Every structure is written in structure tokens, then in C-alpha cells.
Amino acid sequence: MTGTVEIRNVVKRFGKIEAVRDVSFNLPEGETVALVGHNGAGKTTLMKLMLGLIRPTGGHIMVLGDDPAAGEFAGRRRLGYLPENVSFNAALTGHETLAFYARLKREPAKSVAVLLERVGLTHAANRRVGTYSKGMRQRLGLAQALLGEPRVLLLDEPTTGLDPALRHSFYEIVEELRGRGATLLLSSHALTELEERAGRVIIMNRGIKVADGTLDELRRIARLPTRIRLKVTDAGLANVPNWLGPVDGWRQVNGHMVEIDAAPERKIEVLRRATDEGAPVEDLDVVPPTLDELYAHFLLSQETAR
Amino acid sequence: MRNILIVARKEIQEGLRNRWVLATTLLLAALALSLTFLGSAPTGNVGVRALDVVIVSLSSLTIFLLPLIALLISHDAIVGEMERGTMLLLLSYPVARWQVLLGKFVGHLSILAFATLLGYGAAAGALAATGEVIDRESWTAFASMIGSSILLGAAFIAVGYLVSALVRERGTAAGIAIGIWLVFVLIYDMALLGLLVVDQGQVLSGGLLNALLLLNPTDAYRLFNLTGSGNVSAFSGMAGVAQTTTLGPSVLLAALAAWALLPLGLAALAFSRREL
Ligand SMILES: Nc1ncnc2c1ncn2[C@@H]1O[C@H](COP(=O)(O)OP(=O)(O)OP(=O)(O)O)[C@@H](O)[C@H]1O
Ligand SMILES: [Mg+2]
């Protein structure tokens, strides 16, 4: 019972479509969680359920002490949400729009200018939102999600449309919020971006939660090989099995490189050989399985299990 | 309560920005002024108090125009925001759905009330400025005409919300809104009149006729204003109807209020069950 967000056996059906099937997880305070899955996996649906925008067909949800399905919303003052396609009324200016949302959260008017500055919209604050570019709207969306020192942030594909500079400062903001103990749920298709930031990953496939854990845990479960890349001298290339020992999956790539896919339990052995006194190795790289690969693995293993 | 005012304020802000307020005020003022001065010419001011004539012509204007304006503002209120995606974000804030609805209602009604007050007020003001002598009774009748006009607007705003909360697409809402306007403003009365002619007072009389008149907010409004004071009803052509019905002004006002509150309550109910 220590989660800021608790999802228990939640099912959501839209007519015949089962968008979410029996999903359970907790989001403890201060955790940054990546929610990944293919298009239509149920990520947005899960977030809408947490906000009470739709009601679960089965199961139970608690968010900051509220039951959103019952229309409770006291905790939402400390909750920020960025929808995947954020839109605003075109007639009002950026400043007016943000001021409206600040009032609803009972935030002082001065926080508006601060936030606009933070997302780099100060110069456009007095222009109508209708004239904003897609990225500028996304920035405004981010600004409204950050109103009121949120304890829980639900960000649905937050970095789509942001330029590299703001993408960077977005993750800085995320880092800062995490430092203050906020819970973050990020859905995204930019897996490489999430990899470095998220402490934990939840993988969804067709409404089912197929994996949930830290990146290391997932790597352990998936047992994907670690890629080891060795730069080898000419002499060494001629007789690889001699000094490397009986390794199955090795291959030569662009000239002087030897690439080995080492199973987790063989990883250390291979590295020892490669760094041995007499080994003809000039340089080496170790690449653990990326989130991309883990994701593909979990999707595939669930498909074959069906 | 504060949430309601915050939403209402934004609604008014938007109305000012996209010139809804300006357009409706100007339209009402222009029509009211022209009716006032064109309409008073043929009566020649003989034994007729000028403001009473204005009340008759303005309440006819109200019956046509205010429901239309009200439905135009309101039919889009919920389904439009849902389609544009702005409702999604708004409802993720600490605000209840009924507060959103009520806030919009307060905002839209304020816009309508402002336009009516200013537009019709301009007509009365201009009349007074021409040197007409206007007694207190006429002023009271005029004020209650404006008040009931706003109430009629409230009823149609509420009906528009109900439509907006029920349908899936904006286009559908617009179509239904136009249909509602046609029915209440034109068809209903024509049908009722036809029935009265055919029926010759056999079945359609007394209680049933009263009920039928109360079932249409524009009829309640018409009866309230055109039969309310003896002076006005005398030359509004409503004297006949006024004799056959026994509906007092308070009953008519109550009917108008019910026409505002009931659809509003139903709209809130429908909205609270919507998924988006
Ligand atoms: N209102 C709705 N009515 C019917 N089906 C819906 C509705 N909303 C979502 N769905 C269905 O539920 C499933 C999950 O949708 P959801 O939007 O949660 O996917 P997602 O994981 O966010 O995908 P994406 O990566 O494309 O954003 C999809 O099959 C979608 O068609
Ligand atoms: Mg989505």
C-alpha cells in the first residue's frame, strides 16, 4: 500500500476490443518508469484509466489516494498529465492558457511566467496558441504538466515533436523532478532515450503486461547475449579459436574486428581470454543488450507462448 | 464554486477573443433599434405607449433569435471540446465534470445576458432619448421582458448542452440543434394552431392547452410577455389566447426555469458518464 499509483487486475474493454487485460502494478514514490509497447498496446488507455477519463471494465485503481473511477479528484492537484496529442484553445495566448490551468490547480499567477521561461516560450507568451508550431504546443503541454510541483507525472510520448535542445532540457527537468521524489510514468517509442533515464520498464503487448522490472532484471530474465567487440591484430585474426577458445557465436566484421555474442554465463570467460597476456587484442567494447533488443525479445517470447 | 468561476471566466475570455460577444451584441442592438424606430411609426403614437410597442416587437425578435444564438454557442460546448482534444486535458485537472458544465453555463449565459441587456437596453435608451414619456409600468414590463429573454436563452443553452453531451460528433450536434430550433420556434406553434382550428375547442382546451403551451419554452415566454400586462396584451394580438389560458406569470416563469434546469441536470448526468 505504499504506491502513489496502484493498478490491480485492471481490465478495459471497448466493445470487442480488449485494450487492457488484467494488468497490475504499483508505482512507488520517486520511481521513473518507462511504459513501452507497440501502437495500440494499451499505454494511453492505462493513463486515461489512471485519470478517470475512462472507467475500468474490471479491477481497481488508486492514484494519490483517489479512486479515479469514482470521480474523486482531490489528489489531482499534485498530478501532471501530458496527453499524446495535446491541444489547446486556439483563441487564447500561451500565457492566458497556462494561467487558466494554474488557477485550476490553485497555483500562484507568478508560476506561469517561470514555467514559460523553463520551456523556452517566453518570447511567444503573448501570441495566440493557434499560431504555435507543433513543438511549441508540446512545450506548452509540458509546462502545464509541470504546474504545481507534481508528485505524479503521467507523460504520454512527451518528446515527440521536441527539438534536440528541448529534448535535452526535458530530461533535465525529469531528472530534477525525480530528485524531489516525484513518480514519473513515461510512455514512448524512443527506447534508446528511455534506456538511460528509466529505472524500471513495463512492457505491454496487446493489452497484456509482458515484462516489468529494472533494465538489469529484464536483461537477466531475457538472457540475451552481450555483444563483445574485439579489435584484433593481423596475426591474431588468422587463428581466433586458438586464443579465444571454443566460442560458438563469433564472426569477423569489417577487417580487424571480431564480434562475439556471449551468453550471460560465458561473458566473463570470454573477456578473460580476450584480455589475457598473450591475446592479440588491441581494444575491446562490451555492449549489453539494449532496451530495443529486450523489447523485441519479450514481444517475441510472448507471441510464441500463445 | 471557485472552479465554476474559473471555467466561466475562461469561457467569457474566449467569447470576447473570438468576437462572439461583439457579434451578438451588435446584432441584437441593430435589430432592436431598427424594430423600435420602424415599428413605432405606423402606430402613430395615438393612445399607445411607445415602450409597450417596443416590448411586443422585441419579444417576437427574442423568440426567433435568442434560441438560435443560445443553441449556436452551446451545441459545441462538450462534443466540440472533446473532438478538439481540449477536454481530455481539462478533465485531468482537479475539477469535477459538473463544475466544468456549470462553469460553461455561467460563462455562456453571461455572454448572452450581456448582449441582450446592452442590445435591448440601447433600444429603450434611444426611445427615451427621443423624448418619449415612459411611465413606470412600461419600464417594469420592459425589465421583465429582458429578464425572461435571458431565462429563455438559458433554457436553450441548457438544451444545447444536453445535445452536446449525448452525441458523438459535432456535425450531429449542429444538425440536432437546428432541428430543435425549427421545432420549438416554428413547427410546434403552427401544429398547435392547426390543431386548435381543427379541434374547435372540443378537446383542446383548459388544462390540456395549458400543458401544451408549457411544453414549449418559447410559448411560455410569449405568454409571459404578451399577456403579462394588460396594456401590452391589448395590441399584441394575444388577447384571445390570453383569455383561454389561465396560466399566471409565476407559472410561466417556473416553466421557463424548469426548461433551463432540467436539461442542464440531464446534460450533467450524460456528461459524467461519457468516456473520452
Ligand atoms: N475510445 C476507444 N474506443 C474503441 N477502442 C479504443 C478506444 N481507445 C482505445 N481503443 C483501442 O484500445 C487499444 C489500445 O489503445 P491505446 O491508445 O491505449 O494504445 P497505445 O499503446 O497508446 O498506442 P500508441 O503507441 O499508438 O499511442 C487499441 O486497439 C485501440 O484501438
Ligand atoms: Mg498512445
Side-chain angles (χ1 to χ4, degrees):
Chain A
M1 274 300 292
T2 51
T4 47
V5 177
E6 286 176 48
I7 307 254
R8 250 185 291 136
N9 305 106
V10 167
V11 177
K12 178 65 193 176
R13 268 192 290 273
F14 296 104
K16 283 206 178 100
I17 303 167
E18 262 197 308
V20 173
R21 307 184 208 189
D22 198 19
V23 169
S24 304
F25 58 79
N26 273 8
L27 304 182
E29 192 115 10
E31 216 172 274
T32 303
V33 181
L35 187 61
V36 303
H38 59 89
N39 292 127
K43 307 180 293 292
T44 302
T45 304
L46 269 174
M47 290 197 184
K48 284 186 180 175
L49 284 166
M50 292 177 206
L51 291 162
L53 297 171
I54 51 180
R55 286 179 297 275
T57 315
H60 202 75
I61 301 171
M62 285 295 265
V63 176
L64 289 170
D66 292 334
D67 175 5
E72 296 172 358
F73 57 83
R76 277 199 227 144
R77 270 184 72 178
R78 306 300 306 278
L79 182 143
Y81 172 52
L82 177 60
E84 58 186 335
N85 296 312
V86 68
S87 53
F88 301 98
N89 187 293
L92 302 182
T93 68
H95 190 277
E96 286 166 342
T97 303
L98 202 56
F100 166 65
Y101 289 117
R103 280 194 288 275
L104 281 180
K105 278 196 174 166
R106 307 286 189 270
E107 282 297 299
K110 64 176 191 298
S111 61
V112 171
V114 175
L115 274 172
L116 284 172
E117 175 74 50
R118 197 156 166 195
V119 297
L121 276 182
T122 307
H123 66 284
N126 294 318
R127 270 168 51 191
R128 291 176 44 230
V129 176
T131 68
Y132 280 17
S133 71
K134 155 108 177 83
M136 289 164 81
R137 278 200 302 277
Q138 189 72 7
R139 287 169 186 231
L140 189 58
L142 191 57
Q144 64 78 28
L146 296 175
L147 277 167
E149 294 263 321
R151 279 181 58 208
V152 173
L153 264 172
L154 308 176
L155 306 174
D156 204 349
E157 304 185 23
T159 53
T160 47
L162 294 184
D163 59 37
L166 197 79
R167 206 171 274 248
H168 184 76
S169 55
F170 166 73
Y171 282 114
E172 268 175 18
I173 294 170
V174 165
E175 205 59 47
E176 191 187 320
L177 284 164
R178 175 161 49 180
R180 286 198 230 131
T183 305
L184 270 104
L185 185 65
L186 285 164
S187 103
S188 180
H189 295 293
L191 298 185
T192 31
E193 268 175 30
L194 291 178
E195 189 163 1
E196 304 152 32
R197 275 96 187 184
R200 176 175 154 203
V201 182
I202 295 175
I203 302 180
M204 299 283 300
N205 182 27
R206 300 195 198 180
I208 301 172
K209 185 179 90 170
V210 291
D212 180 357
T214 65
L215 217 50
D216 280 338
E217 277 164 3
L218 295 188
R219 282 190 183 119
R220 233 183 351 260
I221 298 168
R223 302 187 39 79
L224 288 183
T226 298
R227 185 157 300 165
I228 299 171
R229 215 176 268 150
L230 308 173
K231 186 158 185 266
V232 183
T233 59
D234 282 336
L237 273 178
N239 55 350
V240 173
N242 274 1
W243 53 268
L244 193 58
V247 175
D248 294 334
W250 75 271
R251 60 195 171 273
Q252 194 174 338
V253 286
N254 47 3
H256 286 274
M257 295 293 224
V258 168
E259 211 172 70
I260 304 139
D261 287 333
E265 67 276 1
R266 304 234 25 224
K267 192 166 65 183
I268 292 296
E269 193 191 328
V270 171
L271 283 175
R272 266 204 200 105
R273 293 243 177 84
T275 53
D276 201 24
E277 214 45 80
V281 174
E282 290 175 328
D283 196 4
L284 67 76
D285 277 317
V286 180
V287 188
T290 62
L291 184 51
D292 258 319
E293 287 163 328
L294 284 169
Y295 172 66
H297 169 84
F298 280 107
L299 285 204
L300 202 69
S301 61
Q302 198 225 353
E303 292 295 316
T304 48
R306 278 153 56 90
Chain B
M1 190 60 205
R2 206 164 136 197
N3 282 342
I4 296 174
L5 292 180
I6 293 170
V7 175
R9 178 178 158 179
K10 174 172 161 275
E11 223 47 62
I12 295 170
Q13 208 174 15
E14 279 175 24
L16 287 170
R17 189 62 51 82
N18 56 30
R19 310 227 158 67
W20 254 112
V21 179
L22 187 71
T24 40
T25 310
L26 284 183
L27 181 70
L28 285 178
L31 286 174
L33 280 170
S34 43
L35 278 178
T36 302
F37 290 106
L38 295 178
S40 65
T43 57
N45 292 344
V46 186
V48 170
R49 288 179 299 185
L51 194 60
D52 289 350
V53 181
V54 172
I55 291 173
V56 173
S57 44
L58 284 192
S59 42
S60 306
L61 177 68
T62 300
I63 288 169
F64 273 90
L65 209 54
L66 276 202
L68 192 63
I69 295 173
L71 287 169
L72 272 179
I73 316 182
S74 63
H75 80 272
D76 198 39
I78 293 166
V79 73
E81 280 220 36
M82 281 186 177
E83 244 176 55
R84 283 189 293 272
T86 45
M87 192 62 92
L88 196 69
L89 192 57
L90 180 56
L91 294 185
S92 78
Y93 273 75
V95 52
R97 295 191 182 192
W98 64 267
Q99 291 175 329
V100 171
L101 192 80
L102 222 54
K104 281 176 172 289
F105 185 71
V106 171
H108 286 155
L109 191 60
S110 309
I111 293 176
L112 202 71
F114 175 82
T116 312
L117 216 58
L118 220 68
Y120 289 5
L127 198 65
T130 59
E132 287 289 347
V133 188
I134 301 170
D135 60 16
R136 281 203 43 193
E137 204 186 330
S138 287
W139 277 123
T140 315
F142 187 73
S144 65
M145 188 273 290
I146 290 190
S148 58
S149 298
I150 294 169
L151 197 54
L152 182 70
F156 277 91
I157 290 177
V159 170
Y161 286 167
L162 180 56
V163 173
S164 200
L166 287 173
V167 302
R168 295 208 151 269
E169 280 165 39
R170 300 171 69 181
T172 321
I176 295 177
I178 292 173
I180 286 176
W181 182 80
L182 281 174
V183 166
F184 280 141
V185 174
L186 298 175
I187 298 170
Y188 192 94
D189 285 0
M190 290 199 307
L192 193 59
L193 223 59
L195 274 179
L196 281 174
V197 170
V198 173
D199 186 59
Q200 292 293 339
Q202 304 275 303
V203 188
L204 268 184
S205 62
L208 186 56
L209 183 61
N210 284 351
L212 284 175
L213 287 171
L214 291 182
L215 275 178
N216 182 349
T218 61
D219 280 333
Y221 172 86
R222 198 193 317 264
L223 285 177
F224 176 78
N225 281 294
L226 300 187
T227 63
S229 91
N231 292 316
V232 176
S233 67
F235 55 90
S236 66
M238 288 292 279
V241 184
Q243 277 155 15
T244 56
T245 70
T246 48
L247 295 166
S250 50
V251 176
L252 294 167
L253 275 188
L256 276 178
W259 265 105
L261 293 180
L262 211 66
L264 197 61
L266 290 175
L269 193 69
F271 184 34
S272 72
R273 288 157 180 272
R274 276 295 282 264
E275 301 215 317
L276 65 166

